[in-house]
Amino acid sequence: MELSATDREIINGDHGRAASDALQLVLRFAEAVGAPRLLSCASAHVDGCLYHGQASLDFVERFVALEGRVKVPTTLNVGSVDLIHPELFIGDAALGAAGKRLMQAHIELGCTPSFTCAPYQTLLRPRFGDQLAWAESNAIVFANSVIGARTNRYGDFIDLACALTGRVPDYGLHRSENRRAKAIVEVHGFDEAGPDQAGGLAVAAGLFTGKHCGDAIAAITGLPRSTSEDDLKALGAAAASSGSVAMFHAVGLTPEAPDLETATGRMDVPVAGRLGPLEVAETLSSLSTVKDGAALTAVALGTPHFSLSEFGRLMPMLDLAPFAVPIYVNTGRHEWERLQADGRAARLEEAGVTVVVDTCTYVTAIIRDLSGAVMTNSGKWAYYAPGNLGVDVAFGTLADTLLSAKAGRVVRA
Amino acid sequence: MSMRGLVHGKAEGACLKLDDPLSFWGGFDSASGNVIDRFHPQHGARLSGTMLFMERGRGSSSGASVLAEAIRLGTAPAAIILIDEDAIIATGALVAQMLYGIDCPVIAVKDRLEWQRLSALPRLAAQSGAEAVVLTPQP
């Protein structure tokens, strides 16, 4: 292992015992993945604030006791409770208390109390080419693919260890030669798709890519010009749910893929699959565990966390109110502050929409009535919630979900 | 190719070979020490205290938390013996060692035939260090 002068200082304890212990962990991780050296990272995004057991808390408390401080700007992923609206949590009280302490302990280490899975939206948007130590599968894919920043799939423990040292192992997606597409996914028949249809297509393309490309980087061709950044976010989140995807190229849309030749580095790359209207419809219908017409008990939006532009699309649809079932929208607390400031928060409340911050309805006990199906426009929510919450799910576009909330059963726009 | 000790320490136990890689997150219950992935061929098997032979790692990075929690609770394997290096498994065992001082050595054998030969032994003692890894068959 080539150690820099800074690495040696940290190991010697010049930056404190917490940094020294954390660097030992980063170095052993680097050895395990075969990285020859460490790099400086511009920021970290830490996923360790969701409670998995006592070991999660013991790890962070150890660094708090050693007076550790993060060395780079560090955002936090969702926790187990909504600290701004704690009354929304309806799970076990001891679990809630441990989850809350875990979130607080991270703040004591100097992490930003963002508690969002989409820190790239309003809070800390990395720049093209930045080296990052990011956890949370959708954030990793977004940073690599849509922004062109560089991170591997970091996660439990190692994300915080990188944050406490500002160092990250030099391997995988930190290196240009590993960022080229190794497979092609061809989408056809959607050139004229409008915004609502583009949203559904993005989820289908993501699920398909995850399933058929696994951890290989795919170059996706044929996505419509109407594909928004929010759609690319949904695509990445879906791909990281159905496969170990850390990066994709959307040819003509993402920064490292102005054209297919650039995305593949002019290598001969196999076509992993073709996705036309029929395959898209089949992929999306496979997400639903209930049939059209089934009774709903809630609608869940905002997985990953809703952006301000997604709220912009949602607001006019609130004219459909009153709704027959509650609508939950997860978002970041920074987005929530903006909504409060510009009056949209009040309008959402009037229409019966519950805005959830700091956490997400698919990882914690928030949705009160799970006796019927829950409808979502999120491929990620639809993928995980049946296992996590034991709930039936219906997938639809944003317009579908609002019309269904009004009807109290699954209908389509 | 020589064996590498990803996590150092000593352990001894009965060998158990997994037919498929296992994701500790969602596939293993740290409270009971059992395989709970219902699609895994050894669903229901108890891994606690075994010299666990697993070809490679699999699944979410939250597996590191689950493994560390199992080591804390005493329900984890005694050691994990892989063919190739795995960062998630190594991280979970390293963190448990750091926090609780309990060893769960993680070893990459690097050679598939050697890994298969070792996995067929009834019992094994492992000594995993920076300089060398020593695996000794036990009666």
Side-chain angles (χ1 to χ4, degrees), chain A residues 155-172:
Chain A
D156 288 19
F157 307 128
I158 199 69
D159 48 6
L160 185 62
C162 291
L164 289 164
T165 55
R167 305 290 284 165
V168 69
D170 182 15
Y171 78 109

Side-chain angles (χ1 to χ4, degrees), chain A residues 83-167:
Chain A
L83 296 179
I84 303 215
H85 312 104
E87 71 283 1
L88 291 175
F89 183 76
I90 52 171
D92 177 71
L95 207 62
K100 192 174 163 189
R101 173 59 203 153
L102 187 63
M103 295 165 83
Q104 186 60 39
H106 279 91
I107 300 172
E108 290 169 22
L109 293 175
C111 302
T112 304
S114 49
F115 304 119
T116 179
C117 58
Y120 46 78
Q121 288 180 161
T122 51
L123 198 58
L124 181 89
R125 193 169 173 100
R127 290 166 308 175
F128 181 86
D130 277 353
Q131 301 288 3
L132 312 176
W134 274 30
E136 163 50 35
S137 64
N138 101 83
I140 292 161
V141 182
F142 192 95
N144 277 316
S145 314
V146 183
I147 295 176
R150 301 180 170 205
T151 181
N152 288 306
R153 296 176 68 232
Y154 296 109
D156 288 19
F157 307 128
I158 199 69
D159 48 6
L160 185 62
C162 291
L164 289 164
T165 55
R167 305 290 284 165

Side-chain angles (χ1 to χ4, degrees), chain A residues 291-366:
Chain A
K291 290 192 175 4
D292 285 4
L296 292 177
T297 48
V299 161
L301 306 173
T303 305
H305 277 178
F306 237 39
S307 67
L308 290 169
S309 56
E310 285 175 298
F311 277 108
R313 285 189 56 211
L314 173 66
M315 297 311 291
M317 299 184 191
L318 297 183
D319 293 344
L320 290 167
F323 297 102
V325 300
I327 299 171
Y328 295 86
V329 188
N330 309 297
T331 191
R333 49 167 75 183
H334 293 82
E335 281 84 358
W336 173 240
E337 283 166 15
R338 302 262 189 104
L339 297 172
Q340 281 184 305
D342 66 20
R344 282 190 281 179
R347 173 83 186 96
L348 285 157
E349 197 180 332
E350 256 171 45
V353 175
T354 301
V355 177
V356 177
V357 302
D358 293 352
T359 186
C360 187
T361 49
Y362 89 100
V363 296
T364 196
I366 287 203

Side-chain angles (χ1 to χ4, degrees), chain A residues 3-4 25 33-34 38 54 59 74 78 88 108-109 132 138 161 167 195 228 238 242 272 294 303 312 320 327 349:
Chain A
L3 294 177
S4 72
L25 196 58
V33 297
L38 307 181
Q54 186 62 38
F59 181 71
T74 301
V78 298
L88 291 175
E108 290 169 22
L109 293 175
L132 312 176
N138 101 83
R167 305 290 284 165
S228 66
S242 62
T303 305
L320 290 167
I327 299 171
E349 197 180 332

Side-chain angles (χ1 to χ4, degrees), chain A residues 150 152 170-182 215 217 247 249 256:
Chain A
R150 301 180 170 205
N152 288 306
D170 182 15
Y171 78 109
L173 295 177
H174 293 294
R175 307 183 64 83
S176 303
E177 66 269 27
N178 299 326
R179 298 175 63 83
R180 313 237 198 279
K182 292 282 186 283
D215 61 359
I217 299 173
M247 181 172 182
H249 296 288
E256 290 174 67

